[in-house]
Amino acid sequence: MTKSQKTATLTVHGETYELPVFSPTVGPDVIDIRKLYGQAGVFTYDPGFTSTASCDSTITYIDGEKGELLHRGYPIDQLAAKSHYLEVCYLLLYGELPSAAQLEEFETTITRHTMIHEQMHYFFRGFRRDSHPMATMVGVVGAMSAFYHDSTDVSDERQREIASHRLIAKMPTIAAMAYKYSVGQPFVYPRNDLDYAANFLHMCFAVPAEEYHVDPILARAMDRIFTLHADHEQNASTSTVRLASSSGANPFACIAAGIACLWGPAHGGANQACLEMLKEIGTVDRIPEYIARAKDKNDPFRLMGFGHRVYKNMDPRATVMKQSADEVLDLLGIDNNPLLQVAKELEKIALHDDYFIEKKLFPNVDFYSGIILEAMGFPTSMFTPIFAVSRTVGWVSQWKEQLADPQHKIGRPRQLYLGETMRDYVDIENR
Ligand code: CMC
């Protein structure tokens, strides 16, 4: 990391401090405040991290104003059109596009790690059948720490790599098993002759009673959903993984923490919440009522699948996802589905509404992904687990990057304390 010649000046309580400034390869400069407390005795305040860089990274870059998303410099629309998920995984993990031989070796490694320890099957049986698959995933992924002891030493680079491969390879198996368990069907073992996305669809939808043929167009759409969600720099779940890992916790525990964070409706849970909202709206004539609710300051309702902390013009993932939605619906012959009509009309109305224009709210990736997944036959409860499968590579890439940095230290934010000052304990009979 190189400091630029620029500095920032801060005056606190009449004293002036020169603060170093870092210039990134692209994007806004970053003021280095690490020594501020030592020098000036003050903290900075930024609860939602809206102006704070929590780390340096070379993996993913987002320009929210331009609606640009780059992985290792490559634009997401090019990756979605020309690449595929496992190649993007390699790119995120290792920094460069693989040669043909490197890709083959990587694909072989991932494919050979897809089965989970047979004894882990018992974990699934411990959950209620109506458990949310995300609940099952948090538990089972955390439990991987109890099975793969030979890849939990985070100080060993090779063990970190093996843990990364295991997580990327086993996450679809775990998500598919969580689904199968929830519908009372037998688990379907992974198949090494299928690619990553086709294997996932097979594990979800095949039954032992008959042959299941994975449609290549659906497999391609699945692969694209994985690719579009692969990484998104320091979002809430990735920051959770990094913070959990900063204490030296093992990779499976850290990724389980990431899954827990992703579950929330403001983050990965938005795809489920969005489809449920479309179902609740139900018919086009009810849209104005929901638009009015979204605009009402006294109503906590938000249009799910709209808005983004970083993107303020368009979500480039949404553009590709929308095309994919059209392809899948066309293939499946779904063109007058009421849900789709509500989605299309809602999108049209919101995009022309002053409130949404002024606040720069437009459909994000989750608005369209749910429509595709529903059309493929996934229940809404599987939407966020599928996001977790896709994002695993982002989490492990960021985790590996963090641990490879010799300067990394435990994350320990400070606070603006607004509670009572010191007071004496009062015995219970005197309160
Ligand atoms: N519907 C109605 N109003 C909204 C919405 C929405 N979806 N999103 C933001 N606003 C309003 C909000 O009320 C606020 O208004 P005001 O300035 O008058 O108080 C203003 O826009 C700014 O909102 P914010 O909450 O300060 O913005 P944020 O950057 O903290 O939140 C967000 C970003 C994604 C959490 C939010 O837009 C949201 O809750 N969207 C719905 C959930 C969703 O679709 N999330 C998926 C995000 S993409 C996938 C992922 O990252 O996991």
Coordinates of all heavy atoms in Angstrom, one line a residue, residues 298-373:
N298 N -44.1 7.0 7.9 CA -44.6 6.3 9.1 C -44.8 4.8 9.0 O -45.2 4.2 9.9 CB -45.9 7.0 9.6 CG -45.7 8.4 9.9 OD1 -44.7 8.8 10.5 ND2 -46.6 9.3 9.4
D299 N -44.5 4.3 7.8 CA -44.7 2.9 7.5 C -43.4 2.3 7.3 O -42.6 2.7 6.4 CB -45.6 2.7 6.3 CG -46.0 1.3 6.0 OD1 -45.3 0.4 6.4 OD2 -47.1 1.1 5.5
P300 N -43.0 1.3 8.0 CA -41.6 0.7 7.9 C -41.5 -0.1 6.6 O -40.4 -0.5 6.2 CB -41.5 -0.3 9.1 CG -42.9 -0.6 9.5 CD -43.8 0.6 9.1
F301 N -42.6 -0.3 5.8 CA -42.5 -1.1 4.6 C -41.6 -0.5 3.6 O -41.5 0.7 3.3 CB -43.9 -1.2 4.0 CG -43.9 -1.9 2.6 CD1 -43.9 -3.3 2.6 CD2 -44.0 -1.2 1.5 CE1 -43.9 -3.9 1.3 CE2 -44.0 -1.8 0.2 CZ -43.9 -3.2 0.2
R302 N -40.8 -1.4 3.0 CA -39.9 -1.0 1.9 C -40.1 -1.8 0.7 O -40.5 -3.0 0.8 CB -38.4 -1.1 2.3 CG -37.9 -0.1 3.2 CD -36.5 -0.2 3.5 NE -36.1 1.0 4.2 CZ -34.9 1.5 4.3 NH1 -33.9 0.9 3.7 NH2 -34.6 2.6 4.9
L303 N -39.9 -1.3 -0.5 CA -40.1 -2.2 -1.7 C -38.8 -3.1 -1.7 O -37.7 -2.6 -2.0 CB -40.1 -1.3 -3.0 CG -41.4 -0.8 -3.5 CD1 -41.3 -0.3 -4.9 CD2 -42.6 -1.8 -3.3
M304 N -39.0 -4.3 -1.5 CA -37.9 -5.3 -1.5 C -37.4 -5.4 -2.9 O -38.2 -5.4 -3.9 CB -38.3 -6.6 -0.9 CG -38.8 -6.5 0.6 SD -37.7 -5.5 1.6 CE -36.3 -6.5 1.9
G305 N -36.0 -5.6 -3.0 CA -35.5 -5.7 -4.3 C -35.2 -4.3 -5.0 O -34.8 -4.3 -6.1
F306 N -35.4 -3.3 -4.2 CA -35.1 -1.9 -4.7 C -34.1 -1.2 -3.8 O -34.2 -1.4 -2.6 CB -36.4 -1.0 -4.7 CG -37.2 -1.3 -5.9 CD1 -38.0 -2.4 -6.0 CD2 -37.2 -0.4 -7.0 CE1 -38.8 -2.6 -7.2 CE2 -37.9 -0.6 -8.2 CZ -38.7 -1.7 -8.2
G307 N -33.2 -0.5 -4.4 CA -32.2 0.3 -3.6 C -30.9 -0.5 -3.3 O -30.9 -1.7 -3.4
H308 N -29.9 0.2 -3.1 CA -28.6 -0.4 -2.8 C -27.7 0.7 -2.1 O -27.8 1.8 -2.4 CB -27.9 -0.9 -4.0 CG -26.8 -1.9 -3.7 ND1 -25.6 -1.5 -3.4 CD2 -26.9 -3.2 -3.6 CE1 -24.8 -2.6 -3.1 NE2 -25.6 -3.6 -3.2
R309 N -27.0 0.2 -1.1 CA -26.1 1.1 -0.4 C -25.1 1.8 -1.3 O -24.7 3.0 -1.2 CB -25.4 0.4 0.8 CG -24.2 1.1 1.4 CD -24.6 2.4 2.1 NE -25.5 2.3 3.1 CZ -25.2 1.9 4.4 NH1 -23.9 1.7 4.7 NH2 -26.1 1.8 5.3
V310 N -24.5 1.0 -2.2 CA -23.4 1.5 -3.1 C -23.9 2.0 -4.5 O -23.5 3.0 -4.9 CB -22.3 0.5 -3.2 CG1 -21.1 1.0 -4.0 CG2 -21.8 0.0 -1.8
Y311 N -24.7 1.2 -5.1 CA -25.2 1.5 -6.5 C -26.2 2.6 -6.4 O -27.2 2.5 -5.8 CB -25.8 0.3 -7.2 CG -24.8 -0.8 -7.5 CD1 -25.1 -2.1 -7.0 CD2 -23.7 -0.6 -8.2 CE1 -24.2 -3.1 -7.2 CE2 -22.8 -1.6 -8.4 CZ -23.1 -2.8 -7.9 OH -22.2 -3.9 -8.2
K312 N -25.9 3.7 -7.1 CA -26.9 4.9 -7.1 C -27.4 5.2 -8.5 O -27.9 6.3 -8.7 CB -26.2 6.1 -6.4 CG -25.9 5.8 -4.9 CD -27.1 5.5 -4.1 CE -26.7 5.1 -2.7 NZ -27.8 4.4 -1.9
N313 N -27.1 4.4 -9.4 CA -27.6 4.6 -10.8 C -28.2 3.4 -11.4 O -29.3 3.5 -12.0 CB -26.4 5.0 -11.7 CG -26.5 6.4 -12.1 OD1 -27.6 6.9 -12.4 ND2 -25.4 7.2 -12.2
M314 N -27.5 2.3 -11.3 CA -28.1 1.0 -11.7 C -27.2 -0.1 -11.1 O -26.0 0.1 -10.8 CB -28.1 0.9 -13.2 CG -26.8 1.0 -13.9 SD -26.5 -0.5 -14.8 CE -25.0 -0.1 -15.7
D315 N -27.8 -1.3 -10.9 CA -27.0 -2.4 -10.4 C -26.7 -3.2 -11.6 O -27.5 -3.8 -12.3 CB -27.9 -3.2 -9.4 CG -27.3 -4.4 -8.9 OD1 -26.3 -4.9 -9.4 OD2 -27.8 -5.0 -7.8
P316 N -25.4 -3.3 -12.0 CA -25.0 -3.9 -13.3 C -25.4 -5.4 -13.3 O -25.6 -6.0 -14.3 CB -23.5 -3.8 -13.3 CG -23.0 -3.5 -12.0 CD -24.2 -2.8 -11.3
R317 N -25.5 -6.0 -12.1 CA -25.9 -7.4 -12.0 C -27.3 -7.6 -12.4 O -27.7 -8.6 -12.9 CB -25.6 -7.9 -10.5 CG -24.2 -7.8 -10.0 CD -24.1 -8.0 -8.6 NE -25.0 -7.1 -7.8 CZ -25.2 -7.1 -6.5 NH1 -24.7 -8.1 -5.8 NH2 -26.0 -6.3 -5.9
A318 N -28.1 -6.5 -12.0 CA -29.6 -6.6 -12.3 C -29.8 -6.6 -13.8 O -30.7 -7.3 -14.3 CB -30.3 -5.4 -11.6
T319 N -29.0 -5.9 -14.5 CA -29.2 -5.8 -16.0 C -29.0 -7.2 -16.6 O -29.8 -7.6 -17.4 CB -28.1 -4.8 -16.6 OG1 -28.0 -3.7 -15.8 CG2 -28.4 -4.4 -18.0
V320 N -27.9 -7.9 -16.2 CA -27.7 -9.2 -16.7 C -28.8 -10.2 -16.2 O -29.3 -11.0 -17.0 CB -26.3 -9.8 -16.3 CG1 -26.0 -11.1 -16.9 CG2 -25.2 -8.8 -16.6
M321 N -29.2 -10.0 -14.9 CA -30.1 -10.9 -14.4 C -31.5 -10.8 -15.1 O -32.2 -11.8 -15.2 CB -30.3 -10.6 -12.9 CG -30.9 -11.7 -12.1 SD -29.9 -13.2 -12.0 CE -29.0 -12.9 -10.5
K322 N -31.8 -9.6 -15.4 CA -33.1 -9.3 -16.1 C -33.1 -10.1 -17.5 O -34.1 -10.8 -17.8 CB -33.2 -7.8 -16.4 CG -34.6 -7.5 -16.8 CD -34.7 -6.0 -17.0 CE -36.1 -5.7 -17.5 NZ -36.3 -4.3 -17.8
Q323 N -32.0 -10.0 -18.2 CA -31.9 -10.8 -19.5 C -32.1 -12.3 -19.2 O -32.8 -13.0 -20.0 CB -30.5 -10.6 -20.1 CG -30.3 -9.3 -20.8 CD -28.8 -9.0 -21.1 OE1 -28.0 -10.0 -20.9 NE2 -28.4 -7.8 -21.4
S324 N -31.4 -12.7 -18.2 CA -31.5 -14.1 -17.9 C -32.9 -14.5 -17.5 O -33.4 -15.6 -17.9 CB -30.5 -14.4 -16.7 OG -29.9 -15.6 -16.8
A325 N -33.6 -13.7 -16.8 CA -35.0 -14.0 -16.4 C -35.8 -14.1 -17.7 O -36.6 -15.1 -17.8 CB -35.5 -12.8 -15.5
D326 N -35.6 -13.2 -18.6 CA -36.4 -13.3 -19.9 C -36.1 -14.6 -20.6 O -37.1 -15.3 -21.0 CB -36.0 -12.1 -20.8 CG -36.6 -10.8 -20.3 OD1 -37.5 -10.9 -19.5 OD2 -36.1 -9.8 -20.6
E327 N -34.8 -15.0 -20.6 CA -34.5 -16.3 -21.3 C -35.1 -17.5 -20.6 O -35.7 -18.4 -21.3 CB -33.0 -16.5 -21.2 CG -32.2 -15.8 -22.3 CD -30.7 -15.9 -22.0 OE1 -30.2 -16.9 -21.4 OE2 -30.0 -14.9 -22.4
V328 N -35.0 -17.5 -19.3 CA -35.6 -18.7 -18.6 C -37.1 -18.8 -18.7 O -37.7 -19.8 -19.0 CB -35.2 -18.6 -17.1 CG1 -35.9 -19.6 -16.3 CG2 -33.7 -18.8 -16.9
L329 N -37.8 -17.6 -18.6 CA -39.2 -17.6 -18.7 C -39.7 -18.0 -20.1 O -40.7 -18.7 -20.3 CB -39.8 -16.2 -18.3 CG -39.5 -15.8 -16.8 CD1 -39.9 -14.4 -16.6 CD2 -40.1 -16.8 -15.8
D330 N -38.9 -17.5 -21.1 CA -39.2 -17.9 -22.4 C -39.1 -19.4 -22.6 O -40.0 -20.1 -23.2 CB -38.2 -17.1 -23.3 CG -38.6 -17.2 -24.8 OD1 -39.8 -17.0 -25.0 OD2 -37.8 -17.3 -25.7
L331 N -38.0 -20.0 -22.1 CA -37.7 -21.4 -22.2 C -38.9 -22.2 -21.6 O -39.3 -23.2 -22.1 CB -36.4 -21.8 -21.6 CG -36.2 -23.3 -21.5 CD1 -35.6 -23.8 -22.8 CD2 -35.2 -23.7 -20.3
L332 N -39.3 -21.7 -20.4 CA -40.3 -22.5 -19.7 C -41.7 -22.1 -20.2 O -42.7 -22.6 -19.6 CB -40.1 -22.2 -18.2 CG -38.8 -22.7 -17.6 CD1 -38.7 -22.2 -16.2 CD2 -38.7 -24.2 -17.7
G333 N -41.8 -21.2 -21.1 CA -43.1 -20.8 -21.7 C -43.9 -20.0 -20.7 O -45.2 -20.1 -20.7
I334 N -43.3 -19.3 -19.8 CA -44.0 -18.5 -18.8 C -44.0 -17.1 -19.3 O -43.0 -16.4 -19.2 CB -43.4 -18.6 -17.4 CG1 -43.2 -20.0 -17.0 CG2 -44.1 -17.7 -16.4 CD1 -42.4 -20.2 -15.7
D335 N -45.1 -16.6 -19.8 CA -45.1 -15.2 -20.2 C -46.3 -14.4 -19.6 O -46.3 -13.2 -19.6 CB -45.0 -15.0 -21.7 CG -46.1 -15.8 -22.4 OD1 -47.0 -16.4 -21.7 OD2 -46.1 -15.8 -23.7
N336 N -47.3 -15.2 -19.1 CA -48.4 -14.4 -18.5 C -48.6 -14.8 -17.0 O -49.7 -14.8 -16.5 CB -49.7 -14.5 -19.3 CG -50.1 -15.9 -19.5 OD1 -49.4 -16.8 -19.0 ND2 -51.3 -16.2 -20.0
N337 N -47.5 -15.1 -16.4 CA -47.6 -15.5 -15.0 C -47.9 -14.2 -14.2 O -47.3 -13.2 -14.4 CB -46.2 -16.0 -14.6 CG -46.0 -16.2 -13.1 OD1 -46.1 -15.3 -12.4 ND2 -45.7 -17.4 -12.8
P338 N -48.9 -14.3 -13.3 CA -49.4 -13.0 -12.6 C -48.2 -12.4 -11.8 O -48.1 -11.2 -11.7 CB -50.5 -13.5 -11.7 CG -50.6 -15.0 -11.9 CD -49.7 -15.4 -13.0
L339 N -47.4 -13.2 -11.2 CA -46.3 -12.7 -10.4 C -45.3 -11.8 -11.3 O -44.9 -10.7 -10.9 CB -45.5 -13.9 -9.9 CG -44.8 -13.8 -8.6 CD1 -45.9 -13.5 -7.5 CD2 -44.0 -15.0 -8.3
L340 N -45.1 -12.4 -12.5 CA -44.2 -11.7 -13.5 C -44.9 -10.4 -13.9 O -44.2 -9.3 -14.0 CB -44.0 -12.6 -14.7 CG -43.0 -12.1 -15.6 CD1 -41.6 -12.1 -15.0 CD2 -43.0 -13.0 -16.9
Q341 N -46.2 -10.4 -14.1 CA -46.9 -9.2 -14.5 C -46.8 -8.1 -13.4 O -46.5 -6.9 -13.7 CB -48.3 -9.5 -14.8 CG -48.5 -10.1 -16.1 CD -50.0 -10.6 -16.3 OE1 -50.8 -10.4 -15.5 NE2 -50.2 -11.2 -17.4
V342 N -46.9 -8.5 -12.1 CA -46.8 -7.6 -11.0 C -45.4 -7.0 -11.0 O -45.2 -5.8 -10.8 CB -47.1 -8.3 -9.7 CG1 -46.8 -7.4 -8.5 CG2 -48.6 -8.7 -9.6
A343 N -44.4 -7.9 -11.2 CA -43.0 -7.5 -11.1 C -42.7 -6.5 -12.2 O -42.1 -5.4 -12.0 CB -42.0 -8.7 -11.3
K344 N -43.1 -6.8 -13.4 CA -42.9 -5.9 -14.6 C -43.5 -4.5 -14.3 O -42.9 -3.5 -14.6 CB -43.4 -6.5 -15.9 CG -42.4 -7.6 -16.4 CD -42.8 -8.0 -17.8 CE -41.8 -8.9 -18.4 NZ -42.2 -9.7 -19.5
E345 N -44.8 -4.5 -13.9 CA -45.5 -3.3 -13.7 C -44.9 -2.5 -12.5 O -44.8 -1.3 -12.6 CB -47.0 -3.6 -13.4 CG -48.0 -2.5 -13.5 CD -48.0 -1.8 -14.9 OE1 -47.6 -2.4 -15.9 OE2 -48.3 -0.6 -14.9
L346 N -44.5 -3.2 -11.5 CA -43.9 -2.5 -10.3 C -42.6 -1.8 -10.7 O -42.4 -0.7 -10.4 CB -43.6 -3.6 -9.2 CG -43.1 -3.1 -7.9 CD1 -44.1 -2.2 -7.2 CD2 -42.7 -4.2 -7.0
E347 N -41.8 -2.5 -11.5 CA -40.6 -2.0 -12.0 C -40.8 -0.7 -12.8 O -40.2 0.3 -12.6 CB -39.9 -3.0 -12.9 CG -38.6 -2.6 -13.5 CD -38.1 -3.6 -14.6 OE1 -39.0 -4.3 -15.1 OE2 -36.9 -3.5 -14.9
K348 N -41.8 -0.8 -13.7 CA -42.2 0.4 -14.6 C -42.6 1.6 -13.7 O -42.1 2.7 -13.9 CB -43.3 -0.1 -15.5 CG -43.2 0.7 -16.8 CD -44.1 0.3 -17.9 CE -45.1 -0.8 -17.8 NZ -46.1 -1.0 -18.7
I349 N -43.5 1.3 -12.8 CA -44.1 2.4 -12.0 C -43.0 3.0 -11.1 O -42.8 4.2 -11.1 CB -45.3 1.9 -11.1 CG1 -46.4 1.5 -12.0 CG2 -45.7 3.0 -10.1 CD1 -47.6 0.9 -11.3
A350 N -42.2 2.2 -10.4 CA -41.2 2.7 -9.5 C -40.1 3.5 -10.3 O -39.6 4.5 -9.8 CB -40.5 1.5 -8.8
L351 N -39.7 3.0 -11.5 CA -38.7 3.7 -12.2 C -39.1 5.1 -12.7 O -38.3 5.9 -13.0 CB -38.2 2.9 -13.4 CG -37.4 1.6 -13.1 CD1 -37.1 0.8 -14.3 CD2 -36.1 2.0 -12.4
H352 N -40.4 5.3 -12.7 CA -40.9 6.6 -13.2 C -41.5 7.5 -12.0 O -42.0 8.6 -12.2 CB -42.0 6.5 -14.3 CG -41.4 5.9 -15.5 ND1 -41.4 4.6 -15.8 CD2 -40.8 6.5 -16.5 CE1 -40.8 4.4 -17.0 NE2 -40.4 5.6 -17.4
D353 N -41.3 7.0 -10.8 CA -41.9 7.7 -9.7 C -40.8 8.6 -9.1 O -39.7 8.2 -8.9 CB -42.3 6.7 -8.6 CG -43.1 7.3 -7.5 OD1 -42.5 8.0 -6.7 OD2 -44.3 7.0 -7.4
D354 N -41.3 9.9 -8.8 CA -40.3 10.9 -8.3 C -39.6 10.5 -7.0 O -38.4 10.7 -6.9 CB -41.0 12.2 -8.0 CG -41.4 12.9 -9.3 OD1 -40.8 12.5 -10.3 OD2 -42.2 13.9 -9.2
Y355 N -40.3 9.8 -6.1 CA -39.7 9.4 -4.8 C -38.5 8.5 -5.1 O -37.4 8.6 -4.6 CB -40.7 8.6 -4.0 CG -40.1 8.0 -2.7 CD1 -40.1 8.7 -1.5 CD2 -39.6 6.7 -2.7 CE1 -39.6 8.1 -0.3 CE2 -39.1 6.1 -1.6 CZ -39.1 6.8 -0.4 OH -38.6 6.2 0.7
F356 N -38.7 7.5 -6.0 CA -37.7 6.5 -6.3 C -36.5 7.1 -7.1 O -35.4 6.8 -7.0 CB -38.3 5.3 -7.0 CG -39.1 4.4 -6.1 CD1 -40.5 4.8 -5.8 CD2 -38.5 3.4 -5.3 CE1 -41.2 4.0 -4.9 CE2 -39.3 2.7 -4.4 CZ -40.6 3.0 -4.2
I357 N -36.9 8.1 -8.0 CA -35.9 8.7 -8.8 C -35.0 9.6 -7.9 O -33.8 9.5 -8.0 CB -36.5 9.6 -9.9 CG1 -37.3 8.6 -10.9 CG2 -35.5 10.4 -10.7 CD1 -38.2 9.3 -11.9
E358 N -35.6 10.4 -7.1 CA -34.8 11.3 -6.2 C -33.9 10.5 -5.3 O -32.8 10.9 -5.0 CB -35.8 12.1 -5.3 CG -36.2 13.4 -6.0 CD -37.4 14.0 -5.3 OE1 -37.6 13.8 -4.1 OE2 -38.2 14.7 -6.0
K359 N -34.4 9.4 -4.7 CA -33.6 8.6 -3.8 C -32.7 7.6 -4.5 O -32.0 6.8 -3.8 CB -34.5 7.9 -2.7 CG -35.3 8.9 -1.9 CD -35.8 8.3 -0.6 CE -36.7 9.2 0.2 NZ -36.0 10.4 0.7
K360 N -32.7 7.7 -5.8 CA -31.9 6.8 -6.6 C -32.1 5.3 -6.2 O -31.2 4.5 -5.9 CB -30.4 7.1 -6.4 CG -30.1 8.6 -6.8 CD -28.7 8.9 -6.8 CE -28.5 10.3 -7.4 NZ -27.1 10.7 -7.4
L361 N -33.4 4.9 -6.2 CA -33.8 3.6 -5.9 C -34.3 2.9 -7.2 O -35.2 3.4 -7.8 CB -34.9 3.5 -4.9 CG -34.7 4.2 -3.5 CD1 -36.0 4.4 -2.7 CD2 -33.7 3.4 -2.7
F362 N -33.6 1.8 -7.5 CA -34.0 1.1 -8.7 C -33.8 -0.4 -8.4 O -33.2 -0.8 -7.4 CB -33.2 1.5 -9.9 CG -31.8 1.6 -9.6 CD1 -31.0 0.5 -9.5 CD2 -31.3 2.8 -9.1 CE1 -29.7 0.6 -9.1 CE2 -30.0 2.9 -8.7 CZ -29.2 1.8 -8.7
P363 N -34.4 -1.3 -9.3 CA -34.3 -2.7 -9.0 C -32.8 -3.2 -8.8 O -32.0 -2.8 -9.6 CB -34.9 -3.4 -10.2 CG -35.7 -2.4 -10.8 CD -35.1 -1.0 -10.6
N364 N -32.6 -4.0 -7.8 CA -31.3 -4.6 -7.6 C -31.3 -6.0 -8.1 O -32.3 -6.5 -8.5 CB -30.8 -4.4 -6.1 CG -31.8 -5.0 -5.2 OD1 -32.2 -6.2 -5.3 ND2 -32.1 -4.3 -4.1
V365 N -30.2 -6.7 -7.9 CA -30.0 -8.1 -8.4 C -31.1 -9.0 -7.9 O -31.6 -9.9 -8.6 CB -28.6 -8.6 -8.1 CG1 -28.4 -8.8 -6.6 CG2 -28.3 -9.8 -8.9
D366 N -31.5 -8.7 -6.7 CA -32.5 -9.6 -6.0 C -33.9 -9.5 -6.6 O -34.7 -10.4 -6.3 CB -32.5 -9.4 -4.5 CG -31.2 -9.9 -3.9 OD1 -30.7 -10.9 -4.4 OD2 -30.8 -9.4 -2.9
F367 N -34.2 -8.4 -7.2 CA -35.5 -8.2 -7.8 C -35.8 -9.3 -8.9 O -36.8 -9.9 -9.0 CB -35.7 -6.8 -8.4 CG -37.1 -6.5 -8.8 CD1 -38.1 -6.3 -7.9 CD2 -37.4 -6.4 -10.2 CE1 -39.3 -6.0 -8.3 CE2 -38.6 -6.1 -10.6 CZ -39.6 -5.9 -9.6
Y368 N -34.7 -9.6 -9.7 CA -34.9 -10.5 -10.8 C -34.5 -11.9 -10.5 O -35.1 -12.9 -11.1 CB -34.1 -10.0 -12.0 CG -34.5 -8.6 -12.5 CD1 -33.6 -7.6 -12.2 CD2 -35.7 -8.4 -13.1 CE1 -34.0 -6.3 -12.6 CE2 -36.0 -7.1 -13.5 CZ -35.2 -6.0 -13.2 OH -35.5 -4.8 -13.6
S369 N -33.6 -12.1 -9.5 CA -33.1 -13.5 -9.3 C -34.2 -14.4 -8.8 O -34.4 -15.5 -9.1 CB -31.9 -13.5 -8.3 OG -32.3 -13.0 -7.1
G370 N -35.1 -13.8 -7.9 CA -36.2 -14.5 -7.3 C -37.2 -15.0 -8.4 O -37.7 -16.1 -8.3
I371 N -37.4 -14.2 -9.4 CA -38.3 -14.6 -10.5 C -37.8 -15.8 -11.3 O -38.5 -16.7 -11.5 CB -38.5 -13.4 -11.5 CG1 -39.2 -12.2 -10.7 CG2 -39.3 -13.8 -12.7 CD1 -39.3 -10.9 -11.4
I372 N -36.4 -15.8 -11.5 CA -35.8 -17.0 -12.2 C -35.9 -18.2 -11.3 O -36.3 -19.3 -11.8 CB -34.3 -16.7 -12.5 CG1 -34.2 -15.4 -13.3 CG2 -33.7 -17.9 -13.3 CD1 -32.7 -15.1 -13.7
L373 N -35.5 -18.0 -10.1 CA -35.5 -19.2 -9.2 C -36.9 -19.8 -9.0 O -37.0 -21.0 -8.9 CB -34.8 -18.8 -7.8 CG -33.4 -18.5 -7.9 CD1 -32.9 -17.9 -6.6 CD2 -32.5 -19.7 -8.3

